[in-house]
Amino acid sequence: MKSFGKIRRIARCFSTTSSCPLRICVVGSGPAGFYTAEKLLKAYQSVEVDIIDRLPTPFGLVRSGVAPDHPETKVVINQFLRVAQNERCSFFGNVSLGSSVTLLELRNMYNAVVLAYGAESDRSLGIPKEELAGIYAAREFVWWYNGHPDCRSLAPDLKSSDTAVILGQGNVALDVARILLRQIEELARTDIASHALAALEESSIRKVYLVGRRGPVQAACTAKELREILGIKDLGVYIKAADLVTTPADEIEMKNSRIRRRVHELLSKAVTPGCAPVAGQRELHFVFFRKPDMFLESDDKSGHAGGIRLEKTALKGDDESVRQVAVGTGEYEDISCGLALKSIGYKSVAVDGLPFDTYKGIVPNDRGRVLADASCGHVQHDIGLYVCGWLKRGPTGIIGTNLHCAEETISCISDDINRGALASGSTKPGREGLRQVLDSRNTRVVPFDGWGKIDCEERRRGSLKNKPREKLATWEELLEVACR
Ligand code: NAP
């Protein structure tokens, strides 16, 4: 990866030779979008950056993805606020790429377009009865408790059963398990959406199964997040001791990865041999070596999930260079549950005019430069079109990962500027052109001070309930407050 120092040197060179502003549009106001905007504005005195987002609210995953009991992770918003306040930066909220404005229109209006709109869909398991009620993507559940307006009406059934099954063992799975199991008084002090808090207050869920198709060495979560869930007050943690036995291949994996070693250690310490569940206590069961085979319909509630059938697995692949994979053994077992959350990964969605790799769920790119056609054997860049964040590299990594990701993309933009590939000049109307297009379509654009109004109102409502904020969770409310 090129260093940021190089970006600055190129930037200085550009800013002294150009008189016209370079107009760049960033699509998506999550961490990848804001880091991109921040680095561009710092590097180029003559750059104008417009950030568009389909939501009336900025900050993407920081607002809608980060768990409410992780306020420290949201502090990065202060940094993004300073970016948005830069006079060369404008925010256009409630502007949807593809319907409010097309990609082609953006490309005609700006010198460069950086797509950083993340991953707003989900991988599917592709197993029978996945469509039953009571089965959700973890993303939907996360959006629901984080007050995302698209999931305000999700209404997950937390009352008809005492058991939830979560498929996948990554950090998102741990987040949703923690929200289901955590003491309600602790959640009440967070910015969790009030509809979710009310539903969790009445929840009958006492048992959560976290199901992994591989073993404890391969669990995708990280040690800090695992330690946190294991430390929940009055929680019984159950792991079969036999599952913790390691093979030589596991030992190699642990030798090569400190995280894998720490995760295995923490899980091993969490086992209490011979410990039977205590009546009334909440339970977290780690289930390893089981892959989802099919969902089971409830006997009492037609069309509703009543459980899941899992196939036992064994791991294959003991070559150090090959990832161990779970292979079905033909043995099955069922777990009854009223709620099932699929936490097997997010997926990006394509827009018209954008090359898209449906298998990987990303835009084919070369370090952030969109590839015009990757099939013809040689790399051909679509000049002026870039990607950053989950849309570029897939749905992995923490917020900070996007900083390096943005630097890499900007390094490509800098190279393209330097070799004159991104012609700047008065022919690109930038934000004035965008405003005209949006006006002509009667789009209710939410500018950054519209978000300021939402922010004030949420904090005001929060203060009445001793919470940091009470999120406005419907489109109507958000737009009404933003446009006051
Ligand atoms: P993830 O870390 O990739 O975990 C996905 C999980 O789903 C893995 O356990 C994976 O198992 C499993 N899986 C995938 N396909 C499956 C299938 N067909 N059947 C059964 N299981 C399947 O994804 P994530 O949890 O959505 O997290 C996304 C990123 O956000 C991660 O980098 C995560 O660390 C980050 N994040 C961080 C935090 C935090 O720092 N607090 C919080 C939330 C998210 P295999 O390993 O066998 O594929």
Side-chain angles (χ1 to χ4, degrees), residues 125 169-172 175 213-214 225 323 343-344 395-397:
L125 286 164
Q169 294 181 327
N171 283 332
V172 170
D175 276 351
R213 58 182 170 180
R214 301 193 288 154
E225 285 63 32
R323 162 191 154 108
S343 187
I344 60 164
T396 57

Side-chain angles (χ1 to χ4, degrees), residues 64 131 162 262 300 323 328 350 408:
S64 306
E131 69 297 337
D162 68 351
R262 286 294 298 135
D300 316 324
R323 162 191 154 108
E408 186 184 61

Side-chain angles (χ1 to χ4, degrees), residues 61 65-67 70 73 123-125 167-175 178 211-214 218-222 224-225 228 290-292 323-324 326 343-346 390 395-399:
L61 205 69
V66 172
H70 282 175
T73 311
R123 287 190 190 136
S124 72
L125 286 164
L167 301 165
Q169 294 181 327
N171 283 332
V172 170
L174 259 53
D175 276 351
R178 207 176 56 250
V211 180
R213 58 182 170 180
R214 301 193 288 154
Q218 294 78 28
C221 56
T222 45
K224 180 170 167 276
E225 285 63 32
E228 185 181 10
R290 300 287 185 278
K291 76 182 173 85
R323 162 191 154 108
Q324 295 195 73
S343 187
I344 60 164
Y346 288 37
W390 282 8
T396 57
I398 57 171
I399 287 171

Side-chain angles (χ1 to χ4, degrees), residues 289-301:
F289 305 108
R290 300 287 185 278
K291 76 182 173 85
D293 181 63
M294 67 183 295
F295 287 102
L296 307 168
E297 188 166 350
S298 160
D299 292 335
D300 316 324
K301 254 172 118 183

Side-chain angles (χ1 to χ4, degrees), residues 309-360:
R309 177 156 300 157
L310 303 169
E311 184 178 8
K312 295 186 185 176
T313 64
L315 295 191
K316 280 269 167 70
D318 48 13
D319 179 335
E320 198 172 328
S321 60
V322 179
R323 162 191 154 108
Q324 295 195 73
V325 293
V327 181
T329 61
E331 274 183 87
Y332 299 86
E333 70 181 22
D334 297 347
I335 301 180
S336 300
C337 65
L339 175 73
L341 298 171
K342 297 177 287 177
S343 187
I344 60 164
Y346 288 37
K347 202 173 84 183
S348 294
V349 284
V351 293
D352 271 354
L354 185 65
F356 197 75
D357 180 334
T358 40
Y359 178 70
K360 292 186 185 155

Side-chain angles (χ1 to χ4, degrees), residues 469-482:
R469 70 172 63 236
E470 181 62 65
K471 285 182 181 169
L472 304 181
T474 64
W475 283 94
E476 295 72 26
E477 260 192 312
L478 284 163
L479 290 175
E480 190 271 312
V481 171

